[in-house]
């Protein structure tokens, strides 16, 4: 049988694997699409995970397998640019955007202070000097953006964030010091 994870797979994918490996039912697992005979079944969508409840990313563990220094590349922003994703989804329903059917106009973000602590740690440990935010829409919350800007300002890091999905149509970039 073939399955499609219909939306975020953080919970759905491991739950599906566990169900299939142990012969348990999968019909009530959220975010799935599958065939049941001739019928295509779509299960209910799950809520997005509250990003503030996630554990800190295990950068030291990653560094043991894949050196973190290799992930800090030279860009127009700086010599050791960190790529970072601080939120998932987007609350808007732009007709051209592939994010809309995946997240259904939903958006969840890490709080500004958690984002800052991650970035500060990577700066101190591996020498990051700039940040590229690859969120679907970094600027959804003006309050969070201002809070992050105020926190990072004292570190002198240049950063860039994206708002929108298609650069030629709906992307704004910001370069802040």
């Amino acid at each position: 049988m073939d399955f499609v994870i219909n939306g975020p797979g953080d919970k759905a994918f491991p739950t599906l694997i566990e169900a299939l490996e142990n012969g348990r039912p999968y019909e009530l697992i959220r975010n799935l699409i599958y065939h049941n005979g001739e019928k295509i079944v779509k299960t209910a969508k799950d809520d997005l995970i509250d990003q503030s409840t996630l554990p800190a990313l295990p950068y030291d563990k990653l560094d043991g397998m894949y050196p973190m220094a290799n992930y800090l590349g030279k860009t127009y922003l700086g010599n050791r640019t960190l790529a970072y994703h601080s939120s998932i989804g987007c609350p808007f329903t732009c007709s051209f955007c592939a994010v809309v059917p995946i997240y259904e106009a939903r958006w969840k973000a890490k709080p500004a202070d958690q984002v800052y602590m991650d970035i500060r740690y990577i700066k101190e440990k591996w020498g990051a000097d700039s940040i590229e935010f690859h969120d679907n829409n970094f600027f959804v919350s003006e309050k969070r953006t201002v809070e992050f800007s105020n926190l990072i300002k004292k570190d002198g890091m240049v950063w860039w964030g994206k708002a929108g999905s298609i650069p030629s149509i709906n992307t704004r970039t910001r370069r802040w010091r």
Side-chain angles (χ1 to χ4, degrees):
M1 177 171 294
D2 294 328
F3 293 89
V4 173
I5 303 293
N6 183 25
D10 307 81
K11 296 177 190 171
F13 186 68
T15 305
L16 176 62
I17 296 299
E18 192 270 332
L20 294 173
E21 286 179 345
N22 295 299
R24 295 197 181 119
Y26 51 81
E27 293 81 5
L28 297 178
I29 299 172
R30 292 175 174 261
N31 293 354
L32 290 184
I33 299 175
Y34 60 91
H35 273 128
N36 185 358
E38 294 295 314
K39 183 179 170 190
I40 295 177
V41 177
K42 288 184 180 182
T43 63
K45 286 280 195 150
D46 204 1
D47 292 332
L48 296 179
I49 294 173
D50 180 353
Q51 301 295 290
S52 66
T53 65
L54 295 173
L57 294 171
Y59 294 112
D60 291 314
K61 188 177 234 183
L62 177 66
D63 187 51
M65 296 181 287
Y66 305 99
M68 282 292 294
N70 294 347
Y71 292 95
L72 302 174
K74 184 174 181 165
T75 67
Y76 76 97
L77 297 173
N79 292 316
R80 302 185 58 72
T81 303
L82 165 67
Y84 193 90
H85 209 102
S86 73
S87 67
I88 56 173
C90 180
F92 306 111
T93 56
C94 304
S95 62
F96 58 80
C97 186
V99 173
V100 174
I102 297 170
Y103 294 102
E104 297 179 327
R106 298 175 301 160
W107 178 79
K108 294 280 185 170
K110 282 185 174 184
D113 60 333
Q114 284 184 7
V115 174
Y116 173 71
M117 295 306 292
D118 277 352
I119 290 168
R120 177 84 188 244
Y121 180 73
I122 293 168
K123 176 186 179 186
E124 291 174 358
K125 184 137 184 176
W126 292 287
D129 64 3
S130 52
I131 313 132
E132 289 181 348
F133 287 99
H134 290 277
D135 302 38
N136 296 119
N137 193 337
F138 181 81
F139 298 96
V140 167
S141 168
E142 184 175 331
K143 180 182 176 188
R144 183 180 87 114
T145 303
V146 169
E147 185 180 343
F148 174 76
S149 299
N150 289 330
L151 289 168
I152 201 72
K153 185 174 11 178
K154 65 183 173 268
D155 291 289
M157 294 182 80
V158 175
W159 64 276
W160 168 95
K162 182 170 157 259
S165 296
I166 300 177
S168 62
I169 295 175
N170 195 26
T171 297
R172 294 175 297 199
T173 58
R174 305 253 169 121
R175 186 176 165 147
W176 302 39
R177 284 199 187 265

